[in-house]
Amino acid sequence: MAGLKMKTQKRELLVIGWMEHLDLPDLGLAQIKAKIDTGARTSALHAIGIEPFEREGESWVRFQVQLDERAPWRWVECAIHDRREIKNTSGIPEERIVIRTHLKLTDRSWPISVSLTDRTNMRFPMIVGRTALKHHNIAVHTRRTNLTGT
């Protein structure tokens, strides 16, 4: 069958709401209230106490996460993927640490890039940008929330 391309099976369309609860299992974080924002390119996670450090010659970061105002703050550690200039909600560029982790939504899971930033004054501890959804056959319903039932 040389020269023939194998057709890959396309995943069924998943319709999600503009707000969903999702997991970042690599970080041990579950049921994160996230705004799905196709106007944003990059995803961001609420983090404070962001401290880069070295582990066995690699660049790592530790930070604190609070997913709900009633929940305690938790320390999380992971490898640094990148440092980038990312525009904040006011359109002002700021340098942020970016990590790679898996996003889990319903029975689907895939790796995404997430910037770490203080989202204290925001309604959602996480924002999922369009890059995280690209190539996953996902549509966002702009008037509904929690369509995945998680």
Side-chain angles (χ1 to χ4, degrees):
M1 297 199 134
L4 293 179
K5 286 187 179 180
M6 297 298 292
K7 191 172 184 179
T8 56
Q9 188 174 5
K10 199 169 191 177
R11 280 206 155 183
E12 186 176 322
L13 178 67
L14 175 63
V15 179
I16 64 174
W18 67 267
M19 193 263 307
E20 292 288 343
H21 285 81
L22 52 87
D23 300 339
L24 299 176
D26 299 344
L27 305 179
L29 303 175
Q31 292 298 296
I32 303 166
K33 183 179 175 183
K35 179 180 180 182
I36 312 302
D37 187 351
T38 59
R41 182 182 315 137
T42 311
S43 299
L45 178 65
H46 176 49
I48 64 166
I50 301 168
E51 302 172 4
F53 67 98
E54 293 289 317
R55 176 177 286 166
E56 298 175 12
E58 301 285 325
S59 295
W60 278 60
V61 64
R62 74 175 53 91
F63 53 94
Q64 287 185 295
V65 176
Q66 184 186 39
L67 302 179
D68 172 319
E69 53 228 17
R70 298 172 307 247
W73 286 93
R74 299 176 44 184
W75 281 101
V76 175
E77 293 184 353
C78 64
I80 294 175
H81 175 68
D82 197 6
R83 292 173 191 259
R84 289 188 208 142
E85 288 256 317
I86 296 172
K87 289 182 183 173
N88 65 19
T89 54
S90 302
I92 300 166
E94 57 187 32
E95 184 176 288
R96 292 189 193 168
I97 290 175
V98 177
I99 61 170
R100 289 285 287 172
T101 188
H102 279 84
L103 178 145
K104 184 174 185 305
L105 191 59
T106 66
D107 62 344
R108 297 188 189 186
S109 177
W110 62 93
I112 65 167
S113 295
V114 180
S115 71
L116 304 177
T117 188
D118 186 341
R119 294 181 52 80
T120 299
N121 297 322
M122 305 296 168
R123 275 184 59 203
F124 300 91
M126 185 167 180
I127 190 165
V128 177
R130 66 182 175 270
T131 305
L133 305 174
K134 195 175 178 181
H135 306 300
H136 294 284
N137 208 23
I138 294 174
V140 181
H141 195 303
T142 60
R143 294 180 307 201
R144 302 281 305 275
T145 62
N146 293 310
L147 291 178
T148 61
T150 56

